[in-house]
Amino acid sequence: MRAAPEPVGIAILAKAPIPGLAKTRLIPALGAAGAAALQARLIVRTVETACAAATGPVSLWATPDATHPVFRDVAARFRLSVWRQPDGDLGLRMLAAVAAAAAPTLVIGTDCPALTAGHLADAATALREGFDAVVIPAEDGGYVLIGLRRPEPAVFAGTTWSTDTVMAETRARLAGLGLRWRELAPLWDVDRPEDLVRMVGLERPRGG
């Protein structure tokens, strides 16, 4: 009998879909309520994708708190654990999610509708094969997924978040720490109005 594969957890960092708080760069195109509604859709889609990957336990890390109805609904529907993101910058919040798992973990946000269960399975495989880290770069210079076999505070410390240098800084940190990492093909986030067109194309049924 073959042994079951090593569990690799998936931690989803999600901002509550509150008008004026969520997807603020899309408010000019969608309005505050429309941007919040899109965020709610992205949260559900991301949870569905993570659960479909079946790599290990899925957790949802919410901000500013975990009480929003969307969080409660997906927690009940998918039997997820939901945690409030700690204070601090994005790096500290991602590190907390990895540390809480006490196991190899993939950390993702909710902004990448192109992320599939297959991408998550491939990333989990990289950690199972012994890589210290795995990353899916984003086309804008950041990344849409980072996975670690164990907490590595120095991977995140001092990074200039929300800039087009995040992935380059992360590569330099991984190399400087002597870690082995694997990069998968880049994907894209929904951050700007022009990204909405790509999302519509992604969701449009193919064929006739």
Side-chain angles (χ1 to χ4, degrees):
M1 180 181 296
R2 295 180 59 183
E6 178 184 25
V8 175
I10 301 175
I12 303 167
L13 273 59
K15 185 177 289 187
I18 299 171
L21 175 70
K23 308 305 293 180
T24 54
R25 283 184 283 181
L26 295 178
I27 289 176
L30 300 176
L38 174 60
Q39 173 67 359
R41 286 172 54 200
L42 289 169
I43 291 169
V44 174
R45 180 180 186 139
T46 303
V47 171
E48 289 175 342
T49 301
C51 291
T55 65
V58 177
S59 59
L60 184 62
W61 291 76
T63 188
D65 59 55
T67 63
H68 192 281
V70 171
F71 294 144
R72 293 201 303 266
D73 289 348
V74 295
R77 178 180 168 191
F78 295 96
R79 299 181 181 178
L80 303 181
S81 57
V82 182
W83 306 90
R84 180 186 175 277
Q85 292 181 32
D87 295 332
D89 69 11
L90 179 59
L92 289 174
R93 289 179 276 138
M94 290 193 289
L95 179 64
V98 175
T105 303
L106 309 176
V107 182
I108 59 176
T110 60
D111 294 338
C112 183
L115 184 71
T116 67
H119 293 124
L120 294 170
D122 289 345
T125 295
L127 295 184
R128 290 177 181 136
E129 289 176 346
F131 286 93
D132 299 302
V134 59
V135 188
I136 298 182
E139 292 179 1
D140 63 7
Y143 51 76
V144 302
L145 174 152
I146 187 165
L148 295 169
R149 284 202 60 83
R150 65 194 67 83
E152 297 283 358
V155 170
F156 304 111
T159 299
T160 310
W161 301 107
S162 300
T163 68
D164 60 5
T165 65
V166 169
M167 188 64 231
E169 291 180 43
T170 301
R171 289 189 186 103
R173 293 179 190 284
L174 291 167
L177 292 166
L179 300 178
R180 294 177 62 242
W181 80 94
R182 182 182 173 197
E183 289 186 29
L184 305 183
L187 295 173
W188 50 275
D189 288 323
V190 177
D191 285 325
R192 302 162 299 174
E194 53 265 39
D195 297 326
L196 296 172
V197 177
R198 298 179 77 175
M199 185 173 179
V200 170
L202 187 70
E203 294 180 336
R204 183 179 296 120
R206 300 184 183 277

